[in-house]
Amino acid sequence: MKNRKGIILAGGSATRLYPITCAVSKQLLPVYDKPMIYYPLSALMMAGIREVLIISTPIHIDRFKDLLEDGSKFGMKFEYAIQEKPVGLADAFILGKDFIGEDNVALILGDNMIYGSRLERVLKAANRLEEGGVIFGYQVSDPTSYGVVEIDSKGNAISIEEKPKVPKSDLAVPGIYFYDNDVVKIAKNIKPSERGELEITDVNKAYMEAGKLKVIPLGSGYAWFDTGTPDRLSDAADFVKAIELRQGTQIACLEEIAYKNHWITRDQLEEFAKMYKKTEYGKHLSNILKKDNASYDEIFDNNIFDFSL
């Protein structure tokens, strides 16, 4: 399978969160007990992606370097790039051209959070893409506020619109995208929209018109949050808090994912557990070391057809 690299776009001015973001990057704000960027990074990790480019602004890029370093502590490799001005999501592929090289790529927005018990399997399936693009569709009650995709019975995209007044479907497109290497060329050739940005919708349309854009609908067992406003940020934090406290688990625990991917050793995980020992996060890592066996989801996946229900 061809290698795939990941890009997290963590730039922008986040004016919808002012005055919170007047002095700090939106993607470094806490979503309950973790920095916001942990959530999109965990999605790339669950997909099996080990090389990640983090794009941010000139004034914030060093804060991400302080937090995540070079990625080696997670058994990964991180690189960093500066986006001088927010000129559109597709600009990430132009800025990341040298990083991407000849590989395929996944892009995720730094303020997006997706949760679901089968999310890892879905992301790994998207990562197996060799040709074309894969995006996701999430059912929403008010599609007019989002990019909207219409699909056929085989999961092929047949129309895409940005914030349509009369939507053709109720599937919003979350901010995570998987593409082959052609995306670099496509991004270079699209023209700025009326608002002067290189739109990711135009990238998706190029793949769709070539008959190479698949859509994975995320059903009722998934939750998607765009944390770009105070209300949505608060909703995401409440959701994470409810799941973690009720189930005694952690969402977007980077060390846990790295350990389960065999990217770090048991000794390294133990060091992380000691580092965070005064927190529920650290207690969770300690519990992993004590149990160190199959998760409930793995037991379900491996045995569901053996049960006499």
Side-chain angles (χ1 to χ4, degrees):
M1 187 175 73
K2 193 170 184 179
N3 185 49
R4 187 181 308 278
K5 294 174 180 174
I7 297 177
I8 300 177
L9 188 54
S13 53
T15 54
R16 292 185 299 167
L17 283 167
Y18 275 7
I20 304 171
T21 50
C22 286
V24 65
S25 168
K26 170 175 62 175
Q27 291 83 8
L28 291 174
L29 294 175
V31 178
Y32 185 50
D33 58 350
K34 288 172 286 291
M36 185 186 296
I37 197 171
Y38 270 41
Y39 298 90
L41 177 55
S42 71
L44 295 180
M45 293 173 69
M46 284 190 285
I49 295 171
R50 298 184 72 169
E51 296 179 72
V52 177
L53 175 69
I54 297 157
I55 299 175
S56 190
T57 66
I59 61 173
H60 294 140
I61 195 71
D62 286 340
R63 302 289 76 79
F64 290 100
K65 293 179 181 179
D66 291 341
L67 175 67
L68 299 171
E69 302 172 351
D70 65 357
S72 58
K73 61 184 179 181
F74 304 118
M76 302 175 70
K77 181 181 178 182
F78 296 159
E79 295 184 25
Y80 297 86
I82 292 173
Q83 186 182 48
E84 297 287 347
K85 296 180 180 179
V87 292
L89 307 187
D91 184 48
F93 304 112
I94 299 173
L95 290 172
K97 176 180 178 296
D98 292 339
F99 168 76
I100 298 168
E102 299 298 319
D103 294 314
N104 292 338
V105 65
L107 170 68
I108 187 167
L109 306 187
D111 61 356
N112 269 228
M113 186 186 91
I114 303 175
Y115 176 81
S117 62
R118 297 292 180 267
L119 180 61
E120 183 173 355
R121 294 176 65 185
V122 169
L123 293 171
K124 286 186 183 301
N127 193 32
R128 287 194 292 270
L129 163 83
E130 291 287 344
E131 183 181 5
V134 174
I135 60 175
F136 298 86
Y138 184 84
Q139 188 175 1
V140 295
S141 58
D142 180 17
T144 61
S145 300
Y146 303 94
V148 175
V149 62
E150 181 186 11
I151 63 176
D152 64 17
S153 60
K154 295 183 179 180
N156 299 300
I158 56 176
S159 76
I160 303 177
E161 299 175 285
E162 188 65 30
K163 297 181 180 179
K165 293 182 179 179
V166 184
K168 296 179 181 178
S169 86
D170 57 1
L171 290 179
V173 181
I176 179 168
Y177 319 87
F178 289 75
Y179 301 114
D180 61 17
N181 192 261
D182 288 346
V183 73
V184 176
K185 179 174 61 178
I186 291 171
K188 283 184 176 181
N189 289 330
I190 64 174
K191 297 180 180 179
S193 64
E194 292 182 356
R195 59 177 184 169
E197 295 192 2
L198 301 177
E199 305 287 357
I200 198 70
T201 297
D202 290 333
V203 171
N204 290 328
K205 283 182 178 178
Y207 277 102
M208 180 185 68
E209 289 166 2
K212 295 182 178 180
L213 186 64
K214 289 287 187 178
V215 182
I216 300 177
L218 299 176
S220 57
Y222 294 87
W224 168 50
F225 296 91
D226 167 5
T227 55
T229 68
D231 284 345
R232 292 175 181 174
L233 180 62
S234 178
D235 288 344
D238 288 343
F239 178 85
V240 172
K241 179 181 179 181
I243 294 293
E244 292 186 352
L245 293 185
R246 290 175 185 176
Q247 298 188 354
T249 188
Q250 283 284 325
I251 298 175
C253 182
L254 305 185
E255 296 83 0
E256 177 183 14
I257 300 169
Y259 180 61
K260 289 184 175 180
N261 285 349
H262 305 291
W263 296 348
I264 63 173
T265 65
R266 182 181 176 86
D267 288 343
Q268 288 174 297
L269 185 65
E270 189 171 2
E271 287 300 313
F272 281 118
K274 291 177 181 177
M275 182 188 308
Y276 299 124
K277 64 182 180 181
K278 295 183 179 180
T279 69
E280 293 302 317
Y281 194 90
K283 292 176 183 177
H284 177 70
L285 297 179
S286 294
N287 287 335
I288 294 170
L289 290 164
K290 292 175 184 177
K291 295 178 181 178
D292 209 9
N293 54 18
S295 69
Y296 294 135
D297 285 341
E298 290 171 329
I299 294 171
F300 178 89
D301 291 338
N302 293 336
N303 297 283
I304 183 61
F305 296 112
D306 295 332
F307 293 136
S308 298
L309 298 178

